[in-house]
Amino acid sequence: MTKQSPFIKAIKQDNALPIEQSARDLWLKDLQNGFRWILRPIAQFLFAILLHLVWFVKRLPLPQFSAHTLLQKTICWFCQYFISPEANYLILRHFATESNILNFLAENTGIDNRVNLYPKKIDDMLQDSFVEHDQALFKAFEKMGKVTPSIAKNGQFNWTSWQPIDMNTFQIKERITQVIDFESAHALFMCLFCFLLKKDEYRDAINGFNLDQSIAIRIGHIINDNTLTEYAYNKYPLYLLGPWNLSQRFLMHGFFTEHMYAKLESIRVKQTV
């Protein structure tokens, strides 16, 4: 076990920001992955250059193409054999956290929009696809339309589609080759996403993060808490961004959904006691 620095010990105990202990433990273990400090800086530098080149080529007046099935199979294969177990658990958790958040928004604003992306193992992500994950977000916002500040009476919210995250339901077959940390994995995948999606699909996907602020505002209206926007690093969806600083924006989107999930889950538990 790597000796923890004073800062790591401090954030291990800091619970000022809502996040489940299981997610915190997974992330802190990922931080101790030696590949994160050796491979990630090199991978992010090299693949960031390649990503911008692919981004440029995809925007030339050439025929557009996409290969969703190949994208899904490649990512899942890589996750099974090379991505660390804790990183895989974090990926599976992200599907569940965002699905819960979108379902909570729909059911508490009277919108008919059920998201059912709750993979329990890597192979499930072949169906609960990364592409569909983005499209579910956009469809939810299209259906919700304009914000209507309606607060549920007496704090009794609708949790019909909510699925509490139980780490025991996730199935990851661990292999000795699974050594790549979460951030290094994203650095490896981002060029593949850009190449195998159409230019608008990829542009929309990397700008979908900026809806975090809007999600926080909408949930804040429902639960009567105007502080939730503090959790959103990605903001201002009308300002479309390119792939610059993508790794950090992606990571902060993951933290945001974990914070929103933990906040809402704490409310759900109190309401159902």
Side-chain angles (χ1 to χ4, degrees):
M1 177 68 69
T2 304
K3 184 178 179 181
Q4 294 181 338
S5 70
F7 176 71
I8 297 299
K9 291 179 181 178
I11 61 175
K12 187 175 182 179
Q13 299 301 320
D14 177 30
N15 66 348
L17 295 173
I19 188 170
E20 286 199 334
Q21 189 61 47
S22 54
R24 183 193 303 274
D25 291 342
L26 287 169
W27 179 247
L28 290 176
K29 185 176 180 180
D30 191 75
L31 289 178
Q32 297 180 67
N33 188 328
F35 277 82
R36 183 185 187 276
W37 305 104
I38 299 172
L39 176 64
R40 182 184 61 85
I42 300 172
Q44 284 187 333
F45 175 74
L46 295 177
F47 283 104
I49 296 173
L50 180 59
L51 174 62
H52 282 77
L53 290 173
V54 176
W55 173 272
F56 171 75
V57 171
K58 294 286 281 192
R59 268 146 188 78
L60 293 175
L62 300 171
Q64 288 291 306
F65 68 91
S66 63
H68 296 176
T69 301
L70 177 61
L71 176 64
Q72 295 300 133
K73 288 184 176 180
T74 303
I75 291 174
C76 288
W77 178 81
F78 212 84
C79 286
Q80 285 178 330
Y81 290 96
F82 299 106
I83 306 304
S84 70
E86 52 271 17
N88 280 321
Y89 282 124
L90 287 169
I91 293 170
L92 291 172
R93 280 186 63 96
H94 182 66
F95 278 93
T97 55
E98 188 158 308
S99 293
N100 277 330
I101 290 167
L102 294 179
N103 287 333
F104 176 85
L105 276 171
E107 291 173 347
N108 289 279
T109 53
I111 304 301
D112 181 18
N113 186 77
R114 176 71 164 84
V115 180
N116 192 33
L117 300 179
Y118 293 93
K120 301 300 182 184
K121 56 184 183 295
I122 293 172
D123 282 345
D124 289 343
M125 292 191 290
L126 288 169
Q127 289 77 40
D128 294 347
S129 71
F130 295 90
V131 177
E132 179 58 28
H133 172 72
D134 295 326
Q135 295 304 312
L137 172 64
F138 305 147
K139 290 176 184 176
F141 265 80
E142 184 179 0
K143 289 185 177 182
M144 285 188 292
K146 295 181 180 180
V147 174
T148 54
S150 58
I151 301 172
K153 295 180 180 180
N154 303 318
Q156 294 300 305
F157 309 114
N158 187 340
W159 307 96
T160 302
S161 299
W162 187 270
Q163 296 187 27
I165 297 176
D166 181 358
M167 294 302 299
N168 292 323
T169 63
F170 294 135
Q171 304 170 33
I172 300 293
K173 182 179 180 180
E174 298 189 17
R175 296 177 169 86
I176 59 173
T177 54
Q178 291 178 301
V179 295
I180 299 177
D181 66 281
F182 186 89
E183 289 182 87
S184 297
H186 180 255
L188 295 171
F189 290 151
M190 58 186 183
C191 296
L192 189 64
F193 267 90
C194 188
F195 182 66
L196 294 180
L197 295 179
K198 293 180 180 179
K199 63 178 182 180
D200 288 347
E201 286 179 326
Y202 188 71
R203 182 207 61 194
D204 290 354
I206 65 175
N207 278 280
F209 304 151
N210 292 346
L211 289 171
D212 289 352
Q213 183 186 36
S214 298
I215 289 173
I217 291 172
R218 289 172 183 271
I219 293 177
H221 281 306
I222 295 171
I223 68 174
N224 196 24
D225 185 345
N226 61 6
T227 69
L228 299 186
T229 53
E230 292 296 320
Y231 303 135
Y233 173 87
N234 299 296
K235 300 181 178 182
Y236 309 115
L238 288 176
Y239 180 53
L240 298 189
L241 300 170
W244 181 256
N245 197 31
L246 178 59
S247 292
Q248 184 174 6
R249 291 191 283 123
F250 171 77
L251 182 61
M252 297 307 289
H253 168 67
F255 277 124
F256 170 77
T257 61
E258 285 285 358
H259 292 325
M260 287 294 100
Y261 168 79
K263 177 73 174 181
L264 292 173
E265 174 64 1
S266 67
I267 295 173
R268 186 194 69 84
V269 170
K270 291 178 182 177
Q271 180 177 312
T272 54
V273 169

